[in-house]
Amino acid sequence: MKFRPWPAAVTALALAATVTVAAPDTPAAATSIGLTVSAADGPVPSEQDGPATTEDLPAAGGYAAEIRRTEYGIPHISAKDHGGLGFGYGYAFAQDNLCVLASWVTTLRGERSMFFGPEAESDDPVRPVANLTSDIYFKSVADSGVVPRLLARPAPIGPTEDMRRLVAGYAAGYNAYLRDTGVANLPDPTCRGQAWVRPITATDVWHNLLDLNRLAGGSGLKEAVAGGGGAGPDGPAPGSNAWALGRQATRDGHGMLLADPHFPWNGIRRFYQVQLTIPGVLDVAGASLYGTPVVQIGHNASIAWTHTVSHAHRFSVYRLKPAGGRGGYLVDGKTEPMGRQEIEVRLKDGGIVTRALPTSRYGPVLAAGQSDEYAYALADVNAANLRSADTWLAMAKARNLKELRAAQDTYQGLPFVYTLATDIGGTTTFADASVVPHVTDAMARRCTVPSPDPSLEAYVLDGSTSACQWGEDGDAVVPGIFGPGSQPRLTRADYVANSNNTPWMTNPAAPMTGYDEVWGKVRTDVEPRPRVSLDMIARRLAGTDGLGPRGFTLDTLSATVRSKRNYTFELLRKDVAALCRDHRVLKTAAGERVDVRAACRTLTAWDGRATLDGEGAILWREFYTGLERPTKPGEPIWRWWRVPFDPDHPLTTPRGLKRDAPQVRQALAEAVKSFEDGGMPLTLTPGQAQRYGSHPIPGCTEAEGCFDRVRMRGRLSGGRYPDVDTGSTFMMAVELTPDGPRTRTILTYSLSANPSSPHHADQTALFSRGGWVTERFTEAEIKADPRLRVTTVRG
């Protein structure tokens, strides 16, 4: 069954539930969270044992950290231990982004309906849903007790002591800033004086880490898990570009790395730039997702790494066979009782909504496809995974690629990403070291059953037999997942690259095969963005991209990745020119005649780059994306490529335009007419049409084959798209030299979400102009900044 790496479908899956509204016995603010059933955690039985405990903040005292801020407000935090480092990080982050985390903690606690109303849209930037749906989901997670149970386990299942201290310190630092400032005096008007701004606990931070891990599973399927409707439109699906360049690809033989994650530009999934230092123990610079006290993408003095979203599966759906009048469901002919979670959500008007959520040994039971014969349950491989935090902390401490790999093998916690890394010696590596359900191709053939929903792009397995439960590897840290020995990996001295394609084309000189399809397909269409990525590398290595002698330097890497090439236009430019030569007037689908001569002049004069002043870039987008749209409602997407994809030629196919096809001529006519009807110039540029706040944003979209992509949720109207909501986020170009790392970065939406902060849009303005920030990593570089500000915090 086809599977996309980011499940945005499955909206048809919903839980049957009972809903009642009653007056509360206690004030709404007195909500308490109990620990009830564990079945909702998913099929990880070895992690369900042990006492339920709570790990909150320790008493204040003993924390100390130094926060040094350089250009653009970038914090460099140092402390003598992990607790102090977390304290300094939490304090610095709260200075810049307290309101975002305060809102998200309200979400994690299942209290949005109480403060904002049940029908309002949640603050989930990836897939917003109605607050009531969000609250039921997050209450079910909290009530399952999964976090306390994991905290009661020793490492590597539970967190290490270093990680526990880091998290506790982070929460304490956030609270210290809130206490020092006061809710009424917060600088961000977004949450100043709001009742939902409260101290946080270490448990809140752990729940945020758990939810991040579940992002490609249960957390992305809240309606399926919690029932209800009212979901907003799909938000930006995270993606990324990544290159690890080895000694054979770089001019000076140093390892180099490009990080270019494409995550949301708003909300809790933004990146925060930081350097974290414990002298003699840890010195790492890079970026963390909001509310997480570890660097997820970064470098130290000798290695650099980044991630892209993997194609591997993160969940399965199990078909259950009801046990007839006996209730429950059958496994190996024996009846197992259905679990039940009773969830209460308090509303803004003082009422209470209750939901009864059925659960199974596999996970929550869904309503879609239910009948007298079958029911279905969701099994999320990350349902009980807190190991990612220790994985990233250990990676940050690694001194070479061997130690980085050992960190990943020890904790096996990366939730949904590939890893690309390089070291100072110029070796590169690619691995899908993420958590993947143990479903071999043989098991899939034996156990796959019909799906309850055609939009559900995941394995649906037979839950009536234990023979179809996820398998086990001897080197796996928990049952049900593949161990390190089964993971796709590649080590090279030239390069490894990924732009959310499957592992197959990590390096075209060494196609990766032989792994089970649960990791992603081989011999499949590479798609335009990965193709332009590989083409950019090939041209640089050949010296044919106009940037001088072949091989990468930090300058040519920086220039290459900001080149704004539109690959589909490059592939189809000649066919468009021929179409324009043959036709001056074209007809729309409705038969209206449109003069396309001016549009053709614009397109043929355009250089194919989505720069701020790229006249023709927006016209091309509207024409090209129009090719993807059905000509009539309900019709499938029509394929316009003249030469279809050929797996024996994955980097040169598909290509060409069926320029004589009526659908192509109609698409151009429709695009030109939309400009005329909207009073928009055919020469409309990205700088005019694309904004983030007041700043023009260059770039083009995923569909167009753009490396540094942008996305806007909504159509072009009046010469503008809605604000950019995803695209390049934290871009980092690193060269690892014997004299220390040389690094350039850009945080596209800037450091602070606070509109009154001087660092709310300063890097955005720089990104708009095509600039970079020169990173300050060493003591000498930090102290040399004339704008350096130093703060010591204690608690």
Side-chain angles (χ1 to χ4, degrees):
M1 182 175 295
K2 185 181 178 183
F3 177 80
R4 284 195 301 263
W6 212 263
V10 207
T11 55
L13 299 178
L15 278 173
T18 59
V19 182
T20 61
V21 178
D25 296 327
T26 57
T31 300
S32 62
I33 298 176
L35 302 178
T36 55
V37 303
S38 62
D41 298 349
V44 193
S46 68
E47 300 192 13
Q48 310 307 317
D49 302 323
T53 63
T54 300
E55 177 166 300
D56 282 341
L57 282 178
Y63 292 125
E66 184 176 72
I67 303 170
R68 296 181 291 179
R69 290 188 183 263
T70 55
E71 298 105 324
Y72 301 96
I74 297 168
H76 307 256
I77 300 160
S78 60
K80 65 180 181 180
D81 54 35
H82 290 83
L85 188 67
F87 184 85
Y89 193 2
Y91 198 100
F93 179 81
Q95 288 178 310
D96 295 314
N97 295 296
L98 183 140
C99 290
V100 178
L101 186 53
S103 175
W104 187 247
V105 167
T106 302
T107 300
L108 293 170
R109 292 176 178 176
E111 297 176 348
R112 296 201 67 81
S113 297
M114 184 169 68
F115 288 103
F116 306 106
E119 296 180 357
E121 189 173 277
S122 72
D123 60 346
D124 185 335
V126 176
R127 180 166 173 73
V129 296
N131 280 337
L132 180 59
T133 300
S134 175
D135 289 342
I136 291 169
Y137 171 79
F138 282 110
K139 286 279 191 179
S140 75
V141 175
D143 288 2
S144 75
V146 58
V147 167
R149 280 193 299 280
L150 290 172
L151 294 178
R153 300 292 300 276
I157 307 302
T160 62
E161 287 304 312
D162 287 346
M163 196 65 231
R164 294 171 191 267
R165 294 188 182 102
L166 193 65
V167 166
Y170 186 87
Y174 174 101
N175 291 337
Y177 172 77
L178 182 61
R179 181 188 64 245
D180 293 348
T181 307
V183 176
N185 300 314
L186 291 171
D188 190 343
T190 307
C191 67
R192 184 188 303 137
Q194 295 298 316
W196 45 270
V197 180
R198 297 157 293 171
I200 67 172
T201 69
T203 300
D204 292 323
V205 180
W206 289 118
H207 272 284
N208 182 42
L209 286 162
L210 177 66
D211 188 67
L212 170 62
N213 294 343
R214 292 181 170 194
L215 199 57
S219 187
L221 304 170
K222 293 182 181 70
E223 295 156 294
V225 175
D234 286 351
S240 299
N241 298 311
W243 297 349
L245 305 170
R247 55 186 174 272
Q248 294 178 359
T250 61
R251 193 87 55 81
D252 295 329
H254 302 149
M256 299 179 69
L257 182 118
L258 168 73
D260 182 20
H262 298 167
F263 263 55
W265 280 31
N266 301 287
I268 197 65
R269 301 305 174 206
R270 289 183 15 147
F271 282 99
Y272 185 77
Q273 187 171 359
V274 69
Q275 182 175 0
L276 302 175
T277 304
I278 302 174
V281 176
L282 173 70
D283 194 10
V284 60
S288 304
L289 289 166
Y290 277 21
T292 64
V294 289
V295 168
Q296 278 107 10
I297 290 175
H299 72 88
N300 56 34
S302 55
I303 64 167
W305 75 92
T306 187
H307 300 296
T308 62
V309 174
S310 160
H311 268 252
H313 289 222
R314 303 300 158 195
F315 64 89
S316 302
V317 172
Y318 276 92
R319 189 177 73 178
L320 308 180
K321 186 175 182 180
R326 294 170 289 174
Y329 57 99
L330 297 174
V331 179
D332 297 333
K334 298 179 180 179
T335 300
E336 289 196 4
M338 199 79 76
R340 182 181 176 92
Q341 272 192 303
E342 299 286 347
I343 305 299
E344 289 190 355
V345 174
R346 297 181 184 274
L347 305 180
K348 193 173 183 180
D349 64 3
I352 295 177
V353 169
T354 65
R355 285 268 171 102
L357 307 184
T359 64
S360 71
R361 67 155 63 186
Y362 305 106
V365 178
L366 312 175
Q370 284 195 22
S371 66
D372 292 339
E373 296 183 5
Y374 300 114
Y376 295 84
L378 178 69
D380 183 350
V381 76
N382 284 300
N385 175 19
L386 283 184
R387 304 181 305 277
S388 63
D390 270 305
T391 308
W392 279 309
L393 181 60
M395 288 169 60
K397 295 178 180 180
R399 294 165 295 182
N400 50 54
L401 292 183
K402 181 179 178 181
E403 291 184 3
L404 181 140
R405 182 67 192 184
Q408 295 181 333
D409 291 352
T410 297
Y411 298 102
Q412 298 174 32
L414 295 181
F416 51 79
V417 290
Y418 301 130
T419 301
L420 295 88
T422 189
D423 63 13
I424 199 167
T427 300
T428 70
T429 186
F430 165 93
D432 191 341
S434 62
V435 184
V436 176
H438 196 291
V439 181
T440 64
D441 290 346
M443 177 181 170
R445 289 191 295 270
R446 175 170 48 85
C447 292
T448 298
V449 295
S451 172
D453 184 341
S455 70
L456 178 59
E457 298 180 340
Y459 287 126
V460 180
L461 304 174
D462 185 355
S464 69
T465 171
S466 57
C468 291
Q469 292 188 92
W470 292 339
E472 296 186 25
D473 276 350
D475 59 345
V477 72
V478 294
I481 69 173
F482 284 99
S486 301
Q487 295 166 351
R489 65 178 78 174
L490 181 65
T491 298
R492 301 278 299 181
D494 52 358
Y495 72 89
V496 292
N498 187 267
S499 291
N500 304 123
N501 45 306
T502 69
W504 178 45
M505 281 286 110
T506 296
N507 184 308
M512 296 176 66
T513 59
Y515 47 83
D516 290 293
E517 193 169 309
V518 69
W519 298 94
K521 294 183 178 181
V522 300
R523 296 177 61 80
T524 187
D525 192 341
V526 181
E527 299 186 346
R529 179 163 61 93
R531 280 178 65 184
V532 76
S533 171
L534 294 170
D535 186 70
M536 290 159 63
I537 295 173
R539 292 191 184 194
R540 179 81 301 268
L541 295 183
T544 58
D545 58 1
L547 295 176
R550 61 187 179 183
F552 282 94
T553 64
L554 192 58
D555 285 340
T556 58
L557 175 60
S558 303
T560 299
V561 301
R562 300 291 296 277
S563 60
K564 309 298 178 188
R565 288 174 57 186
N566 187 308
Y567 197 56
T568 55
F569 182 74
E570 291 180 14
L571 292 174
L572 302 176
R573 181 198 301 264
K574 293 182 179 179
D575 290 293
V576 171
L579 174 65
C580 287
R581 286 194 302 269
D582 294 343
H583 301 280
R584 296 183 175 185
V585 176
L586 296 173
K587 290 183 179 180
T588 67
E592 298 175 83
R593 292 170 59 84
V594 178
D595 188 329
V596 297
R597 285 177 293 178
C600 285
R601 287 193 295 271
T602 297
L603 289 175
T604 53
W606 179 42
D607 66 0
R609 297 182 185 266
T611 53
L612 291 179
D613 59 355
E615 296 184 355
I618 304 303
L619 176 61
W620 171 256
R621 180 182 308 165
E622 293 301 302
F623 165 48
Y624 181 79
T625 55
L627 293 173
E628 293 186 312
R629 297 172 190 146
T631 54
K632 294 180 181 179
E635 287 185 354
I637 293 175
W638 176 73
R639 299 300 176 187
W640 59 91
W641 296 105
R642 187 174 68 252
V643 179
F645 172 71
D646 180 350
D648 292 326
H649 302 281
L651 301 185
T652 56
T653 60
R655 65 177 184 269
L657 182 68
K658 296 177 180 176
R659 61 177 186 265
D660 293 328
Q663 295 95 324
V664 172
R665 297 195 297 269
Q666 288 174 5
L668 181 56
E670 298 278 2
V672 174
K673 188 174 188 303
S674 71
F675 275 74
E676 293 174 349
D677 291 349
M680 299 178 292
L682 296 168
T683 56
L684 189 67
T685 67
Q688 296 166 328
Q690 298 172 176
R691 296 271 167 166
Y692 184 69
S694 61
H695 295 279
I697 301 298
C700 43
T701 64
E702 174 88 12
E704 295 170 89
C706 294
F707 185 77
D708 42 352
R709 66 166 183 154
V710 295
R711 170 174 156 167
M712 295 73 63
R713 278 197 282 174
R715 300 289 296 277
L716 180 67
S717 177
R720 284 279 301 275
Y721 293 102
D723 265 16
V724 172
D725 71 349
T726 191
S728 296
T729 52
F730 174 69
M731 298 185 74
M732 179 179 73
V734 187
E735 181 178 16
L736 298 169
T737 80
D739 298 323
R742 299 172 58 231
T743 308
R744 295 173 184 172
T745 65
I746 189 72
L747 191 62
T748 57
Y749 35 64
S750 305
L751 195 72
S752 177
N754 173 11
S756 66
S757 168
H759 306 301
H760 176 65
D762 51 355
Q763 288 198 58
T764 309
L766 183 64
F767 173 71
S768 176
R769 300 192 300 268
W772 294 86
V773 177
T774 299
E775 181 190 79
R776 296 179 182 272
F777 182 78
T778 67
E779 280 294 301
E781 290 167 343
I782 294 169
K783 290 178 179 177
D785 183 5
R787 291 162 290 261
L788 180 65
R789 292 175 291 138
V790 181
T791 304
T792 298
V793 292
R794 301 181 186 276

